[in-house]
Amino acid sequence: MELYDVMRTTFAARQFTDDKVSDETLRQILDNARFAPSGGNRQGWRVVLVREQDKRKQLIPLLEPVIRRYRAQVAAGENPYNSVVPTRVSEAEIAKTELPAGYSDPYLKAPVLLLIFVDLSVVASMDSDLHRVGVVSGASIYPFAWNILLAARNEGLGGTLTTFAAVQEPAMKELFDVPDRYALTAVLPIGKPVKQLTKLRRNPVSHFTTIDSFDGEPFG
C-alpha cells in the first residue's frame, strides 16, 4: 500500500476472523516497526507476544473494573480518567454500570496480543518536574506502537492500541514477570479484521492548527 493510503485507512480493529497470524508475519511487522524514532535512539521498547489463552483469561478480571469506570464516566458526559477535570461519578454508579457485549473479544479472540513496555531507565521524561501528568515519555514508545499498527495494515491485518491494562500495571507486571523499571504503555490485539474500513472520520486541519499563536488564525 502507498504510505498515505496506510495512514488514512489504519483504523481501530476490534473484531477479527479466525485466520492465524504467523510468526513470520509478526516478525516482518516488528522488523519494520523497530525503525520508529525514540529519544536518543535508545529504543527502550520491549514487546511481549501473548498467544496463550490461559494468560489472556487472567487479563479479563483486571480489565473489567477499568472498563466499567470508563463507561460510567462516558455515560455521565465525562472524559474518562481525565487528569484535569475530576470525576463526579460515584463508586456505586460505577458498580452498577453494565459491561458491553463482546468487551473481552479483542483480548480473547484476536490471534495474538502484543504487550508494549518501555524501559523508564532510558527515557528522557522532559516534563517530569511539571505539575501535571507526564506525557513526554510517550514520544519514545508510541511511535513504535503506531508503526506496528501501520505495518499490520500493510500486511492486510489490523489491531487497536488499548491502554485499559495500564491502570492495572502492578498486576500486569506480576502476571508477565516484568522488571520494575518497565512501564506498560499499550496492549495491541492483532489479527485479520472481520471488515476492512477504508474511510475514517477526522477533524480538518483548520480545526487543530493555528498560525503564530494558540488562538491565531486557523491554518488550512
Side-chain angles (χ1 to χ4, degrees):
M1 297 181 69
E2 294 292 331
L3 175 61
Y4 284 167
D5 288 338
V6 175
M7 292 170 67
R8 285 175 172 263
T9 62
T10 299
F11 65 100
R14 297 180 176 88
Q15 294 180 310
F16 305 97
T17 68
D18 293 331
D19 295 31
K20 296 184 182 302
V21 178
S22 69
D23 286 351
E24 180 181 356
T25 299
L26 285 172
R27 191 174 297 109
Q28 174 84 346
I29 288 171
L30 294 170
D31 189 43
N32 285 285
R34 67 191 173 95
F35 286 94
S38 61
N41 196 28
R42 286 182 282 272
Q43 304 171 53
W45 42 73
R46 182 66 177 262
V47 180
V48 177
L49 190 157
V50 184
R51 294 191 190 273
E52 185 181 312
Q53 200 65 20
D54 286 343
K55 283 210 168 183
R56 296 201 205 192
K57 289 178 180 178
Q58 293 181 65
L59 292 179
I60 305 308
L62 299 177
L63 296 174
E64 284 180 351
V66 181
I67 297 173
R68 200 181 301 277
R69 174 182 162 179
Y70 187 99
R71 286 182 60 81
Q73 289 190 253
V74 170
E78 296 181 353
N79 294 314
Y81 288 88
N82 191 268
S83 64
V84 177
V85 182
T87 182
R88 295 185 178 182
V89 178
S90 68
E91 291 299 325
E93 290 172 312
I94 293 172
K96 68 181 182 183
T97 300
E98 294 186 3
L99 293 168
Y103 73 94
S104 63
D105 286 356
Y107 305 96
L108 296 179
K109 295 184 178 181
V112 64
L113 298 182
L114 301 181
L115 276 55
I116 312 298
F117 294 90
V118 64
D119 185 350
L120 295 177
S121 70
V122 303
V123 170
S125 301
M126 307 302 293
D127 56 354
S128 59
D129 292 331
L130 300 181
H131 297 296
R132 61 161 173 75
V133 66
V135 297
V136 173
S137 300
S140 287
I141 189 62
Y142 288 114
F144 171 70
W146 184 237
N147 261 10
I148 291 175
L149 293 175
L150 292 177
R153 174 67 174 144
N154 194 60
E155 296 293 327
L157 302 175
T160 184
L161 194 159
T162 73
T163 54
F164 292 119
V167 179
Q168 302 281 25
E169 182 179 89
M172 291 289 293
K173 290 169 77 169
E174 181 177 357
L175 181 59
F176 294 98
D177 305 311
V178 181
D180 288 342
R181 71 179 188 273
Y182 284 86
L184 175 63
T185 62
V187 176
L188 278 57
I190 299 291
K192 183 176 181 180
V194 170
K195 182 180 180 181
Q196 290 280 12
L197 302 184
T198 58
K199 192 171 183 178
L200 308 181
R201 291 180 298 171
R202 298 292 188 269
N203 292 325
V205 172
S206 59
H207 185 83
F208 57 82
T209 310
T210 55
I211 300 172
D212 291 331
S213 68
F214 195 88
D215 59 353
E217 181 183 347
F219 173 77

